[in-house]
Amino acid sequence: MPRDFWLEAGKQGLLGLEIPEEYGGSEAGDYRFNAVLIEELAKVNMALPSCVGIHADIVAPYLVNLTTEEQRGRWLPPFCTGENLTAIGMTEPSGGTDLAALKTTAVKDGDDWILNGSKTFITNGYGADLVIVAARTSPEKKAKGITLFGVESTMDGYSVGEKLDKVGQGESDTAEMFFDNMRVPAANVIGEVDKGFIHMMTWLPQERLSSSVTNITHAAQILEETITYAKERKAFGKTIGSFQHTKFLLADLVTRVEVTQAYVDQAVMQHVEQKLTPVDAAKAKWWSAQVQNEVLDHCVQVYGGYGYMNEYRVARAWRDARVTKIWAGTNEIMKELIARDLGL
Ligand SMILES: Cc1cc2nc3c(=O)[nH]c(=O)nc-3n(C[C@H](O)[C@H](O)[C@H](O)COP(=O)(O)OP(=O)(O)OC[C@H]3O[C@@H](n4cnc5c(N)ncnc54)[C@H](O)[C@@H]3O)c2cc1C
């Protein structure tokens, strides 16, 4: 997405909902503003809520809540205007699920830290000016030895690979990044040294809730378009929507979407009241991803051959959605969290 897109989003005040006014944001102070923004973007496609969401909804809480006054003054004003695009780098080529086993290292050298390693699949990674990078600072401590760093793209030793060639969401920039003896000043440590894992766990429920809002809105939008198509497309002299199979199928899909929407809305309200548990966020995330993928697969079927043509929104939506069962914690890991809560 071109930088002009980000500058325009900044001008319209879409990027600073979580940012205090003194740094150029609107400090909306209620997660429902984020949810509405993500919903409107998800009606267009999946890449928009993903890229904008990483910046304005996922990175923002780290930069507001874990930073020093000096860092906020340095990073937040260009964050709101879209002049500085951000990303978050947790996943590495060797694995994303087992976050505590990450291999990127940061070794203290005087007042600075020397980073070595790499990250992959990073949304906004190719164009990002500032990346929150999780690195190992205490090798012997596993989860308790990870620290977050604000890595600026101008730093010596920082490089990004080619934009990754994905199955869907072609317009979003997803990249691999490398740190080669990169010197990061202590002033760029985000939060507490060795507390990075806890910091990441703190903000993951919001990330998973935002994924859920995106998933269900995206499915609902394409389903609505599919119902319209079913009322227009004819076979055997009748609209395909008049066949009992299609009627029952669409009734089933609408029910699945609306029931899921009710659960996601409830989770949104819990989050507004600061009561959303990581387990309930996990339930919303895997379930909405599952429903989204099932609904879109049926929608492709209703469109017949046109459903397989890239020219049609339904085909693109189907491809774009596949990743939602993988990113921000896979469906398997969401179920692990839920099972653990059951005492299993
Ligand atoms: C388009 C895209 C954008 C992304 N954006 C970002 C980003 O901005 N920042 C970022 O840090 N990451 C990002 N990711 C990475 C994403 O979060 C990871 O891909 C995801 O967490 C899974 O990690 P992995 O790919 O290494 O799979 P692996 O960890 O190798 O897992 C492979 C399979 O094994 C299963 N598995 C692993 N452990 C267990 C277990 N204990 N029990 C049961 N099953 C298990 C997984 O569920 C999965 O099915 C992105 C990924 C994609 C595809």
Side-chain angles (χ1 to χ4, degrees):
M1 293 195 295
R3 186 53 65 117
D4 282 352
F5 165 83
W6 293 102
L7 296 174
E8 188 57 36
K11 239 187 246 167
Q12 297 197 22
L14 302 180
L15 305 180
L17 293 174
E18 293 242 355
I19 311 295
E21 284 184 40
E22 60 186 300
Y23 301 111
S26 55
E27 203 172 355
D30 186 322
Y31 173 77
R32 281 172 292 182
F33 285 100
N34 299 31
V36 168
L37 172 63
I38 294 164
E39 279 183 350
E40 293 306 316
L41 296 173
K43 288 178 192 170
V44 183
N45 64 30
M46 278 297 297
L48 280 177
S50 162
C51 295
V52 174
I54 284 282
H55 179 82
D57 183 64
I58 292 164
V59 169
Y62 288 82
L63 296 185
V64 171
N65 297 293
L66 297 173
T67 42
T68 62
E69 183 77 53
E70 184 277 323
Q71 289 172 334
R72 288 193 287 278
R74 187 154 45 109
W75 289 332
L76 293 183
F79 176 101
C80 295
T81 58
E83 286 162 294
N84 264 11
L85 175 61
T86 63
I88 182 157
M90 302 183 189
T91 306
E92 302 192 345
S94 59
T97 304
D98 188 4
L99 204 51
L102 60 81
K103 293 193 166 77
T104 295
T105 56
V107 177
K108 195 104 207 265
D109 184 40
D111 279 345
D112 301 335
W113 295 84
I114 308 296
L115 262 68
N116 278 293
S118 63
K119 298 286 172 185
T120 194
F121 307 143
I122 307 307
T123 305
N124 296 344
Y126 193 73
D129 304 286
L130 175 69
V131 187
I132 300 180
V133 172
R136 179 161 303 290
T137 34
S138 293
E140 68 292 352
K141 290 205 263 176
K142 232 192 158 200
K144 290 182 180 156
I146 293 169
T147 303
L148 303 179
F149 294 87
V151 165
E152 290 160 22
S153 61
T154 49
M155 288 174 167
D156 282 344
Y158 176 82
S159 60
V160 288
E162 291 296 304
K163 272 195 232 174
L164 296 172
D165 181 16
K166 305 189 293 297
V167 169
Q169 300 186 30
E171 60 284 81
S172 82
D173 124 27
T174 314
E176 197 170 4
M177 53 187 58
F178 308 94
F179 321 112
D180 182 15
N181 282 323
M182 188 177 64
R183 185 169 287 278
V184 182
N188 280 31
V189 169
I190 295 177
E192 287 183 58
V193 171
D194 283 348
K195 293 272 170 65
F197 194 78
I198 296 170
H199 294 326
M200 289 187 283
M201 293 304 119
T202 305
W203 301 108
L204 270 177
Q206 176 160 320
E207 176 171 354
R208 289 176 180 157
L209 177 59
S210 299
S211 294
S212 313
V213 172
T214 301
N215 297 346
I216 200 60
T217 309
H218 184 243
Q221 175 64 31
I222 298 298
L223 179 56
E224 194 183 311
E225 294 171 25
T226 304
I227 293 168
T228 304
Y229 184 80
K231 287 176 184 166
E232 290 164 359
R233 176 76 175 171
K234 288 203 170 124
F236 299 96
K238 296 158 81 177
T239 62
I240 57 168
S242 64
F243 299 129
Q244 189 186 48
H245 173 79
T246 316
K247 284 198 285 189
F248 281 15
L249 174 68
L250 293 174
D252 176 321
L253 301 183
V254 163
T255 309
R256 282 196 236 182
V257 165
E258 289 183 10
V259 170
T260 306
Q261 181 76 62
Y263 189 81
V264 172
D265 286 349
Q266 175 184 303
V268 166
M269 280 318 297
Q270 285 169 340
H271 190 51
V272 170
E273 293 159 9
Q274 301 188 331
K275 289 182 190 152
L276 180 67
T277 65
V279 175
D280 285 348
K283 289 175 190 164
K285 203 251 166 200
W286 90 261
W287 179 259
S288 61
Q290 190 70 28
V291 167
Q292 175 193 27
N293 274 272
E294 286 168 5
V295 166
L296 293 176
D297 195 64
H298 285 300
C299 289
V300 167
Q301 193 71 15
V302 171
Y303 272 80
Y306 292 109
Y308 200 61
M309 298 296 122
N310 281 325
E311 185 191 342
Y312 275 69
R313 272 169 61 76
V314 68
R316 191 172 134 182
W318 176 70
R319 285 191 291 123
D320 285 356
R322 184 58 185 83
V323 73
T324 67
K325 295 196 279 183
I326 299 170
W327 68 14
T330 63
N331 276 20
E332 294 74 34
I333 290 308
M334 296 304 100
K335 290 177 193 174
E336 266 295 317
L337 294 174
I338 298 160
R340 219 177 287 162
D341 185 57
L342 297 174
L344 298 168

